[in-house]
Amino acid sequence: MTRIFSGVKPTGHLTLGNYLGAVRRWAEVDQHRAEALFCIVDLHALTVDHDPGRVRRLSRQAATLLLASGLDPELCTVFVQSHVDEHARLSYLLECVATDGEMRRMIQYKEKAALERQRGGSVRLSLLTYPVLMAADILAYGSDEVPVGDDQTQHVELTRDLAVRFNQRYGHTFVVPRATRPEVAARVMNLQEPTSKMGKSDDVGPGVVYLLDEPEAVRKKIMRAVTDSGQDVAYDPETRPGVSNLLEILAACEGGDPEVLSGGYASYGALKKDTADAVVELLRPVQARHKELCADPVHVEGVLREGARRAREMARPTVDSAYDAIGLLPPSAG
C-alpha cells in the first residue's frame, strides 16, 4: 500500500490556505487511499525566535484542528514530531550526506535569513539545516508520496537527492519519495497582497483567513480583499492576481473551475459575497467539531500518544538500518 507523509508547522494559527491547499485533501482523499501519516512538526518551529508556551499551544491547537477537519485516527496516524526520537536520530545522518552548498541554495532559507537579518536578529543554524530534518521526517517512514504546496517542492527534491545519494554510497536503505500537489488552490494567496502566499506565521492582518475566525471576521476580510484595475471579472493569475485568487478560493470551496466561474459574475462585489458565503459554510463544521474536541482534551492527548507509538514502530527499523549502513557500531544486546 502506498505510504504518504505530510506535516504542519505550529508557527501560527492554521489558515484557509492550509485547509484548502492541504488538510482537506488529507481528510477527504489521502487517508482513505494510502497508509497515511500526518505530523505536527514542532521541531521545525524552533528554527526562529519563538515563545515556548506559544509553540506548545499552537501544537495542541493544530492537532485538534487536524482531527476537526476529518482526520480519523482509525484510518491514519496523527502525531507530534518531537514525540518520535527517530526524526532527530536520522536528521544527523542525513546532515552527513548533505552539502553546505545544497543547504544555502534553498529558496526558503535565503528568504527567511534575509528577513531575520533585516530585523536585526541572528540566523540560527537550524534554519539552514531544517530541510535535512524535513528529509528525515519523510525518509524515516519509507514514504512514497509527500503532499506539499508549491513552496515546499524544492525540499522534497532535496529529500529525493539525499535518499539516492545515501542508497548509492551505503546500500539501499530509503524509498525515494515524490511530491504530489492538489490541482486547485494549491497555494491560496494573501487577500491584501495577492502575489504572496496566505501564510500563518508572517501576517496577522486582514489578508489572512484563519480556520477559527468568526463568520463575520471571515466576511469582513473577504469583502475587503484587494482586486485589480478594471471592472470585469476574469481569471488570469498573472495579470489579475486579486480576482483570480478569489475565484480559486470559490472554486476550491464549491468544487468548480475558476475560469468557468468567472463568466458568472458581472461585478467584484457579487464575487466577494459568494466567496465569503462559501468560506463561512466550509469552515462551519470544522469549527463546530473543534469546539467539541477542545472540551475533551484527554481524547486528543490519547490520539497523539497512540499516533506516536505507531509512528515509532514504523520509523525505527528504517532508522536502525541507516545507522548500520553508514557504519555505526550497534549497541550491545546486554
Side-chain angles (χ1 to χ4, degrees):
M1 191 176 188
T2 298
R3 182 174 288 178
I4 65 175
F5 176 95
S6 199
V8 60
K9 185 164 57 173
T11 51
H13 301 287
L14 293 185
T15 71
L16 178 66
N18 297 129
Y19 184 74
L20 291 178
V23 176
R24 184 174 66 169
R25 178 181 173 86
W26 297 351
E28 294 182 353
V29 178
D30 292 334
Q31 68 174 342
H32 298 283
R33 70 176 180 86
E35 186 174 25
L37 299 101
F38 301 110
C39 183
I40 314 303
V41 287
D42 54 344
L43 295 176
H44 291 293
L46 311 184
T47 59
V48 294
D49 189 36
H50 64 278
D51 173 60
R54 186 169 187 265
V55 170
R56 279 190 288 270
R57 290 192 300 272
L58 290 174
S59 296
R60 188 176 293 109
Q61 182 187 87
T64 306
L65 278 169
L66 292 186
L67 297 175
S69 298
L71 293 189
D72 183 348
E74 297 297 319
L75 297 175
C76 65
T77 300
V78 181
F79 66 105
V80 177
Q81 179 189 31
S82 63
H83 295 176
V84 180
D85 292 345
E86 278 64 30
H87 292 255
R89 287 181 63 208
L90 182 55
S91 182
Y92 181 72
L93 294 196
L94 295 179
E95 284 187 15
C96 297
V97 176
T99 69
D100 177 76
E102 284 176 316
M103 296 299 97
R104 296 186 187 280
R105 284 195 295 271
M106 294 291 107
I107 294 170
Q108 284 209 2
Y109 169 73
K110 292 179 180 179
E111 293 176 348
K112 292 182 178 181
L115 282 173
E116 193 62 35
R117 293 188 185 102
Q118 286 175 11
R119 297 185 185 115
S122 56
V123 179
R124 299 185 181 190
L125 178 61
S126 55
L127 185 63
L128 178 66
T129 61
Y130 96 88
V132 177
L133 176 58
M134 180 176 170
D137 299 338
I138 297 164
L139 297 179
Y141 298 99
S143 309
D144 301 290
E145 296 181 10
V146 189
V148 292
D150 294 339
D151 58 328
Q152 292 293 331
T153 302
Q154 187 184 34
H155 293 158
V156 180
E157 288 304 313
L158 173 70
T159 301
R160 290 171 55 84
D161 292 342
L162 295 179
V164 170
R165 191 177 306 154
F166 191 102
N167 290 346
Q168 290 175 342
R169 289 181 181 176
Y170 306 114
H172 185 78
T173 306
F174 298 119
V175 173
V176 181
R178 64 184 181 277
T180 59
R181 291 182 295 279
E183 293 181 4
V184 178
R187 199 175 189 192
V188 176
M189 312 307 279
N190 188 296
L191 295 173
Q192 292 298 314
E193 299 179 25
T195 57
S196 301
K197 186 180 73 166
M198 185 182 285
K200 62 182 180 298
S201 57
D202 298 327
D203 189 325
V204 293
V208 179
V209 174
Y210 297 100
L211 295 190
L212 295 179
D213 275 348
E214 294 290 336
E216 284 311 305
V218 172
R219 294 183 193 281
K220 188 175 182 179
K221 289 177 179 180
I222 293 176
M223 294 305 294
R224 294 182 176 180
V226 168
T227 49
D228 311 287
S229 59
Q231 296 299 317
D232 59 313
V233 177
Y235 181 68
D236 185 347
E238 291 298 319
T239 63
R240 309 288 296 279
V243 70
S244 296
N245 187 38
L246 291 171
L247 287 165
E248 288 205 11
I249 291 171
L250 180 60
C253 289
E254 298 185 344
D257 178 271
E259 191 162 2
V260 173
L261 285 173
S262 69
Y265 291 96
S267 70
Y268 292 154
L271 171 61
K272 288 180 176 181
K273 182 181 182 302
D274 283 0
T275 303
D277 289 343
V279 172
V280 167
E281 289 307 310
L282 181 77
L283 298 185
R284 193 182 304 279
V286 176
Q287 293 178 351
R289 179 59 177 151
H290 176 266
K291 186 176 181 180
E292 293 174 359
L293 289 168
C294 285
D296 189 9
V298 173
H299 171 71
V300 176
E301 290 168 7
V303 168
L304 296 178
R305 184 168 54 251
E306 174 60 17
R309 185 195 65 78
R310 281 155 46 180
R312 206 175 294 119
E313 287 185 353
M314 281 187 266
R316 185 165 294 163
T318 298
V319 177
D320 285 348
S321 294
Y323 268 60
D324 180 65
I326 206 168
L328 297 177
L329 189 67
S332 170

